[in-house]
Amino acid sequence: MVKAMTALDDVRTDPPATVGVGQAALRDQNLAVVATLAFAADEPVSRAAIAAASGLTRSTVSRLVDELLAGGVLRELPRQVAGRGRPATPLAPARGTLVGLGLEVSPSYLGARLVDLSGDVVAERVLPAHLERSDAPEVLGRLGRLAAHVLAESADDWTALAGVRLAVPGLVDSAGRVLRAPNLGWREVSPTDHLDAAALAVAGGHSGPPPAVGVGNEADFAALAHALDAPGRPAGSANFFYVSADIGIGGACVVDGVPARGRHGWAGEIGHTLVDPAGPQCTCGARGCLEQYAGRDALLAAAGLDLETTAEALARAARTPGRAQEAVAQAGRALGVAISNVVNLIDVDDVVLGGQFVPLVPALRPALEEELRRRVLAAPWLDVTLRPGEGGLPALTGAAFAALGDVVAGPSAWLQVA
Amino acid sequence: MVKAMTALDDVRTDPPATVGVGQAALRDQNLAVVATLAFAADEPVSRAAIAAASGLTRSTVSRLVDELLAGGVLRELPRQVAGRGRPATPLAPARGTLVGLGLEVSPSYLGARLVDLSGDVVAERVLPAHLERSDAPEVLGRLGRLAAHVLAESADDWTALAGVRLAVPGLVDSAGRVLRAPNLGWREVSPTDHLDAAALAVAGGHSGPPPAVGVGNEADFAALAHALDAPGRPAGSANFFYVSADIGIGGACVVDGVPARGRHGWAGEIGHTLVDPAGPQCTCGARGCLEQYAGRDALLAAAGLDLETTAEALARAARTPGRAQEAVAQAGRALGVAISNVVNLIDVDDVVLGGQFVPLVPALRPALEEELRRRVLAAPWLDVTLRPGEGGLPALTGAAFAALGDVVAGPSAWLQVA
């Protein structure tokens, strides 16, 4: 439940307190409460519904909603006459105003996706590439130009860039530094040194301060896209483990709708679970990691297929007996070992297989489920659900949602901008 | 920060609300706030300090403290003159009043430990046994008699039995049913069917209702004993992974001082991490699990030692080259694989090795740390601390602390009893 902040932040039983909270802070917090409620709703909501849910008066809510409408955070839909009483004006997240930019460096592509507050994709570009052992400044320079292009070509369709998030397949520290991205060959890279936020800000031709650029783990962003239907709007699943597969394999444990990132933000790294100590050498330096069985290149090599083969084509090849079918079954067993560990350690029963695994889920399932039955200690009492994730590069969407999440959580900062 | 509950649970900015909360509920909640603050403090606290920390008035705090003193939840220490001002009367958890009973069924012993609110052990009995493939009703009957004996022999040293918690090395569901305890050979056992709470209640000769009997995972209780110095009092470590080792190996991830038990309460099961798919058969049904390398019997067998050998004797034997040293190094490598997985998945950097591992930590450390350096993805930037846990059967203490935690969290229920 979202609660409105009030002047009484330290309430007492006996004499009424007179603890002061500035009027400006109070307004900012209440704007956030109203925005959060309006964004979280499955369907457009009325001012009255927001008042009821927040505990704020209807006059306060109306005043705050007016600010959010004027600022391009919310929009009004046509009035509806529902049952008796005065017709209510439904409110919904604004369209084509503030946008979030999701960026991604993957071993096999560069991507930029611009999303508005309603969750609609305003523009996007994805550039196939081979970035396995790439030069970070050069790659980030290219990504910056791609992003500027996306912003410029869609400039008429939005009003202000709220924020930018970059997804990378690796460990990112709290300062936004990529400590290690084995499948890019990157080590201790600060992407913001090479991505020009000021250039991004002017690329769309709009005025305003340079947007905040954040950097995060690709699997965390992909998991966030699975947890949300749109910025600030929870999807059906709030507790699941997300496996993100490309050449490398990442993961994220989502608890109550939020990726549980751990003490330093490095949680969820399922890709280096030991599958066999006698297994092949991994890019991380160890032997027999999950990636060496279920990562894209490992899978395609075991299947005897060209490394450019799509996951869909591999899934088709795996329908008939042969090397492809054996390779996918082996990947399923390896994934089963790793996911059994996750279930035993974290006690989660909903597993989402994303990225390249999406079309492969039916082919992976038999061996994977057999391993779960064998290795999950609670298997007889626990029904672990395996589901495919969304296609379409979800980390880009999650990164844009994360940038827009700042607007929902603190809209007042954007009311001056828009 | 602990906050007092007030009559305003849904505060508003505009007109003052008149939401009613019953006076009795308010008193109960405020008693809990006062008790929680008094128990959490490292040193005895004054009424004034509780008032300052809770936001309650000094007169309210004094009235509540009087109830907790009369009910045997708190006690007063001699007055102290500290600096200027009126001398304060320090308050501390009571001694020798309400007690919690921790019980444990391990594959190698039965235990009962009675602990008072100050954390002192009032009485205990531990009975060595061989319970690897045991009959649950018979074992629980024996444990009940042991517990009754402990209660009866110490009856003069306490006033009321607040609660009972039973620790078992296995999966326990939310109804307190042991679904599976592979190293006891138990499956779908309801211990409370075989432990007579009414008999325990009268065993000490004190009146009062039968105590609540709870059942939980052994590693969770052992981890709780590591997280707390005494009932309700946090120890220094609030975020760590606890590995509990006997014949089997369990674990618990403690986050902010509380074992993160997962969706069904089954989290932390590190003992069945795959170490080698070609490894020996495990009691769980799978192959090559951690327990088969680092569990007590597996370790002693690999060392060529009698299965009655203590961990201390094994640690001494491992000081010189030979089978014992090799077996411990192999266990260290296996533990390193499993703990690397935990660190990669959960991002925790403080690992406590408990149970039989306590005296073995120096011998386990070299191989274990080598594996962490190899397998933890964040190893170059992360200093994983490995520490021995407490000796002395910590699950018994944690179980008793858990029972007494109910008193701290809801003392009003006990004020009528004592």
Side-chain angles (χ1 to χ4, degrees), chain B residues 5 141 156 202 260 387:
Chain B
M5 186 183 178
D156 292 346
V202 299
R387 293 184 297 151

Side-chain angles (χ1 to χ4, degrees), chain A residues 14 60 180 188 264 347 381, chain B residues 14 60 188 264 347 377 381:
Chain A
D14 300 282
T60 301
R180 184 176 194 183
E188 300 192 351
H264 310 86
D347 183 13
W381 303 273
Chain B
D14 300 282
T60 300
E188 299 191 353
H264 310 85
D347 183 12
L377 213 57
W381 304 274

Side-chain angles (χ1 to χ4, degrees), chain A residues 60-116:
Chain A
T60 301
V61 169
S62 284
R63 185 166 40 78
L64 297 167
V65 163
D66 287 345
E67 289 195 60
L68 295 169
L69 290 168
V73 174
L74 294 180
R75 70 191 156 114
E76 283 185 324
L77 302 184
R79 284 199 175 193
Q80 289 182 325
V81 184
R84 278 164 291 181
R86 279 203 309 177
T89 305
L91 301 165
R95 279 200 169 132
T97 55
L98 291 159
V99 287
L101 177 63
L103 301 177
E104 184 178 1
V105 179
S106 136
S108 46
Y109 60 86
L110 291 174
R113 182 174 288 162
L114 204 59
V115 175
D116 72 11

Side-chain angles (χ1 to χ4, degrees), chain A residues 12 14 55 57 60 180 188 263-269 274-275 287 341 344-345 347 349 375 377 381-382, chain B residues 12 14 55 57 60 180 188 263-269 274-275 287 344-345 347 349 375 377 381-382:
Chain A
R12 288 173 170 80
D14 300 282
T57 63
T60 301
R180 184 176 194 183
E188 300 192 351
R263 207 158 161 70
H264 310 86
W266 305 332
E269 292 294 350
L274 175 69
V275 171
R287 283 200 163 274
N341 264 334
N344 284 334
L345 275 176
D347 183 13
D349 58 8
R375 305 205 69 92
L377 213 57
W381 303 273
L382 186 68
Chain B
R12 288 173 170 78
D14 300 282
T57 62
T60 300
R180 182 176 196 183
E188 299 191 353
R263 207 158 160 70
H264 310 85
W266 305 332
E269 292 293 350
L274 175 68
V275 172
R287 283 199 164 274
N344 284 335
L345 275 176
D347 183 12
D349 57 8
R375 305 205 71 90
L377 213 57
W381 304 274
L382 186 68

Side-chain angles (χ1 to χ4, degrees), chain A residues 302-394:
Chain A
L305 294 170
D306 185 277
L307 296 188
E308 303 293 318
T309 309
T310 64
E312 289 76 9
L314 173 61
R316 277 192 300 276
R319 283 198 207 120
T320 48
R323 278 184 72 182
Q325 196 173 69
E326 282 163 33
V328 174
Q330 178 179 255
R333 279 192 295 276
L335 260 173
V337 166
I339 293 172
S340 294
N341 264 334
V342 169
V343 175
N344 284 334
L345 275 176
I346 303 177
D347 183 13
V348 62
D349 58 8
D350 187 8
V351 177
V352 179
L353 300 173
Q356 68 154 354
F357 288 150
V358 173
L360 290 169
V361 171
L364 290 166
R365 191 184 290 277
L368 204 170
E369 288 188 338
E370 192 188 324
E371 211 59 47
L372 291 180
R373 276 192 297 274
R374 182 178 296 143
R375 305 205 69 92
V376 170
L377 213 57
W381 303 273
L382 186 68
D383 196 12
V384 179
T385 306
L386 294 173
R387 293 184 294 152
E390 292 76 18
L393 313 184

Side-chain angles (χ1 to χ4, degrees), chain A residues 2 32 34-42 93 115-119 224 227-235 257 397-398 400-409:
Chain A
V2 182
V34 171
T36 300
L37 288 168
F39 275 75
D42 276 344
V115 175
D116 72 11
L117 286 167
S118 77
L224 188 67
L228 299 178
D229 281 334
R233 189 188 313 154
T397 298
F401 283 4
L404 292 168
D406 288 353
V407 179
V408 181

